[in-house]
Amino acid sequence: MTSPLTSRLDRVLLACLLVLALGVVAATPASAALPSAEQDFVTRINQERTSRSLKALTVCGGIVDVARAWSDKRATTSNRVGHNPSYTSQIPSGWTRAAENVAWGSGTSATVAVLHKSLMDSAGHRANILGDFTHIGVGVTVVSNQMYVTQNFGKYASGCGGATASIALTVTKGTYDNGTKSKATLNWSGATGSNVDVWRNGAKLLTTANDGAHVDKFGVKLAAGTVRSYKVCRAGTTTCSPTRSVTF
């Protein structure tokens, strides 16, 4: 059995406002987020492929979960270009080839159009987008006007496992104790199972009943401009809602 082949390219563009990186792995056989932006990336990628007579990629929910989780983690740790060292073991098994692109943009560069063009302008990233793959998962997280993007690709002979995540989440700010303390109210739908995991700023806050609501009380009045980011996941899994942020 040969060792996996890994290649990587880092580029800094737009006066350090945009950073890109990629990773590719070949394997021997048998071996939050913004859904609208994620779909926009997929649409653009498939337009690039079909315009060159390549087959469009199919979105795989199991890959989406991994991509979203990594974008969330990068956003909460300000990890602009780091790769997920474990994505090949986290995406559904059965792949014969896998790859990852990551991108980051800030300010006017934090758009799908800008980041997609920059990825296509990079030979290594473009090779992944136009590569010999069958499935894709894209995760997009936006925090403080910064966009963190992870694109994972896989080649599967007989389909990719994993249902597309469908948990919807809203977060609203508020106060209690006569306005002297801050709170965030989470409401969700679409989660299955009796329990969910609630994550705050990239760390699991608690596991609670899947009753569609949770109030996060801080015990103090948060300073103006404080940001808290949340996602809700099916307990013990990476099937999660997009990340939602609230600014106090």
Side-chain angles (χ1 to χ4, degrees):
M1 178 175 177
T2 60
S3 299
L5 172 65
T6 302
S7 67
R8 179 168 177 166
L9 170 66
D10 292 331
R11 291 184 65 190
V12 180
L13 302 173
L14 302 178
C16 297
L17 290 179
L18 176 64
V19 188
L20 304 173
L22 68 91
V24 179
V25 179
T28 57
S31 350
L34 290 178
S36 60
E38 293 167 355
Q39 183 56 53
D40 195 356
F41 273 111
V42 173
T43 298
R44 291 169 187 267
I45 287 169
N46 280 334
Q47 287 173 344
E48 301 285 1
R49 293 178 64 88
T50 57
S51 69
R52 295 167 173 81
S53 299
L54 299 171
K55 288 185 178 180
L57 300 177
T58 300
V59 174
C60 171
I63 300 179
V64 172
D65 289 344
V66 174
R68 283 179 175 172
W70 188 246
S71 288
D72 283 352
K73 184 172 183 178
R74 288 169 52 216
T76 56
T77 58
S78 298
N79 179 354
R80 295 177 180 176
V81 297
H83 280 283
N84 180 354
S86 304
Y87 80 90
T88 56
S89 63
Q90 294 170 348
I91 64 175
S93 61
W95 55 270
T96 55
R97 182 173 174 81
E100 178 178 84
N101 286 345
V102 298
W104 171 85
S106 177
T108 58
S109 298
T111 69
V112 175
V114 169
L115 290 174
H116 175 74
K117 183 179 185 303
S118 296
L119 288 164
M120 285 299 295
D121 287 344
S122 163
H125 299 88
R126 184 173 63 251
N128 283 346
I129 290 171
L130 303 178
D132 183 18
F133 301 108
T134 57
H135 291 77
I136 188 174
V138 178
V140 176
T141 300
V142 176
V143 176
S144 300
N145 205 27
Q146 298 180 70
M147 178 177 283
Y148 295 81
V149 182
T150 304
Q151 300 173 344
N152 289 117
F153 304 84
K155 181 178 181 180
Y156 293 84
S158 57
C160 170
T164 301
S166 58
I167 302 174
L169 172 67
T170 61
V171 183
T172 55
K173 65 181 178 180
T175 60
Y176 64 104
D177 280 0
N178 296 319
T180 61
K181 299 174 183 178
S182 301
K183 67 178 181 179
T185 300
L186 286 67
N187 292 280
W188 66 87
S189 62
T192 58
S194 58
N195 294 312
V196 295
D197 295 330
V198 176
W199 291 69
R200 183 179 69 196
N201 290 0
K204 189 167 79 170
L205 182 63
L206 78 163
T207 299
T208 189
N210 183 18
D211 57 10
H214 173 72
V215 179
D216 188 14
K217 295 184 176 181
F218 299 103
V220 297
K221 186 70 173 291
L222 297 180
T226 299
V227 178
R228 291 290 181 265
S229 300
Y230 295 90
K231 67 179 178 180
V232 171
C233 306
R234 192 174 67 189
T237 76
T238 57
T239 299
C240 303
S241 71
T243 298
R244 301 301 186 202
S245 299
V246 61
T247 302
F248 289 86

